[in-house]
């Protein structure tokens, strides 16, 4: 049965492709996938976009706290680009940031977010959790819990969760479904531990799927069995 309200976690690469900057082709493809999926499914959609890894670990001469703050700002830039592209595609969206970016983005306000979602607008969350040391995976789990999402979709470049890296190990086994306990027992790195724990506590199912195969997002939102689902 298709979920009614979904949080989609996108990586920064969904907008940049192989470059470190935003790619027109990648941005256009991402927007087309979102528009097609939402139009056909009528699902209420919220989005979190990554980008922190542009800075985290890349600038050894910058303190971690500062680097994480820089990464949060990059998520704001990516979110602005996505919001602009959605508008050009005829989709209404609202952009919220954990930290105030006066004149650019609204501050996160749960009540207003819920109203926007219920009005049928796509909601985009920028700025991470607003705190260093937390990934955008954790942001996605946190926002999913706050808006009472039915499901968290983790968009990746692989078609699900495997027992090992399928690009390095041809004998890796794909799991079509897992319980949270099974994922923990098998030590599968589906999301960072804070994000995974929050989804488990709030009973939000996680679906890991290949976002880069055309039409997959639409299939997931329509309730088709794509990728790997982790649930209670």
């Amino acid at each position: 049965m298709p979920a009614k309200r979904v949080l989609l976690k996108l990586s920064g690469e969904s907008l940049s492709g192989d470059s470190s900057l935003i790619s027109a082709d990648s941005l256009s493809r991402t927007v087309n996938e979102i528009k097609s999926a939402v139009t056909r499914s009528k699902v209420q959609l919220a989005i979190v976009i990554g980008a922190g890894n542009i800075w985290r670990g890349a600038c050894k001469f910058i303190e971690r706290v500062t680097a994480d703050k820089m990464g949060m700002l990059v998520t704001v830039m990516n979110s602005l680009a996505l919001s602009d592209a959605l508008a050009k595609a005829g989709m209404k969206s609202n952009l919220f940031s954990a930290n105030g970016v006066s004149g650019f983005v609204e501050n996160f306000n749960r009540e207003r977010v819920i109203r926007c979602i219920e009005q049928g607008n796509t909601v985009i969350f920028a700025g991470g959790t607003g705190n260093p040391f937390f990934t955008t995976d954790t942001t996605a789990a946190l926002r999913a819990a706050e808006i009472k999402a039915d499901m968290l979709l983790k968009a990746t470049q692989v078609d699900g969760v495997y027992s090992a890296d399928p690009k390095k190990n041809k004998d890796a086994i794909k799991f079509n479904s897992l319980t949270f306990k099974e994922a923990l027992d098998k030590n599968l790195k589906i999301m960072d531990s804070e994000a995974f724990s929050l989804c488990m506590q709030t009973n939000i199912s996680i679906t890991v799927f290949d976002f880069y195969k055309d039409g997959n997002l639409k299939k997931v939102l329509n309730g088709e069995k794509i990728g790997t689902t982790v649930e209670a």
Side-chain angles (χ1 to χ4, degrees):
M1 186 178 198
K4 179 182 178 183
R5 184 173 296 170
V6 171
L7 190 295
L8 172 65
K9 167 58 171 60
L10 294 173
S11 67
E13 288 79 6
S14 64
L15 305 187
S16 63
D18 296 327
S19 71
S20 60
L21 301 174
I22 294 172
S23 156
D25 289 342
S26 296
L27 178 59
S28 176
R29 182 198 173 274
T30 294
V31 167
N32 288 338
E33 287 293 303
I34 292 170
K35 182 176 181 179
S36 174
V38 172
T39 301
R40 299 290 180 87
S41 67
K42 304 297 183 183
V43 73
Q44 296 176 349
L45 183 67
I47 301 172
V48 169
I49 307 176
N53 288 339
I54 290 177
W55 299 106
R56 189 177 298 117
C59 301
K60 304 294 185 183
F61 52 90
I62 297 176
E63 185 181 357
R64 169 65 187 271
V65 171
T66 303
D68 280 5
K69 290 178 179 178
M70 294 165 71
M72 290 179 218
L73 290 174
V74 177
T75 70
V76 174
M77 291 189 286
N78 277 349
S79 297
L80 283 166
L82 179 61
S83 178
D84 178 77
L86 287 172
K88 290 175 179 174
M91 292 186 67
K92 294 181 179 179
S93 66
N94 297 88
L95 176 55
F96 297 90
S97 177
N99 288 325
V101 188
S102 181
F104 292 89
V105 186
E106 283 190 69
N107 285 356
F108 176 80
N109 178 288
R110 182 178 179 272
E111 288 70 27
R112 173 152 165 71
V113 166
I114 296 295
R115 286 198 299 272
C116 292
I117 291 176
E118 290 178 343
Q119 290 169 0
N121 294 0
T122 297
V123 169
I124 305 169
F125 298 120
T129 65
N131 301 286
F133 301 107
F134 292 96
T135 67
T136 46
D137 272 1
T138 300
T139 303
L142 174 63
R143 298 299 184 228
E146 288 177 312
I147 66 172
K148 296 185 177 181
D150 305 303
M151 180 185 293
L152 191 158
L153 301 181
K154 185 173 172 63
T156 69
Q157 296 182 26
V158 293
D159 62 343
V161 177
Y162 285 77
S163 58
D165 187 342
K167 295 181 179 179
K168 298 178 181 178
N169 185 345
K170 62 181 178 61
D171 296 321
I173 300 170
K174 180 189 173 185
F175 302 102
N176 292 322
S177 63
L178 291 160
T179 65
F180 287 110
K181 185 177 185 303
E182 286 172 338
L184 288 172
D185 290 345
K186 296 177 186 296
N187 196 30
L188 300 172
K189 305 300 182 184
I190 295 169
M191 303 179 81
D192 68 64
S193 57
E194 292 86 355
F196 190 83
S197 176
L198 184 53
C199 287
M200 184 166 59
Q201 290 173 41
T202 53
N203 198 27
I204 297 172
S205 66
I206 304 167
T207 296
V208 180
F209 73 107
D210 182 1
F211 178 71
Y212 296 88
K213 183 176 180 180
D214 293 349
N216 264 1
L217 177 60
K218 180 168 63 178
K219 290 178 181 178
V220 174
L221 294 186
N222 283 331
E224 294 187 40
K225 296 296 182 181
I226 300 294
T228 302
T229 298
V230 185
E231 55 193 351

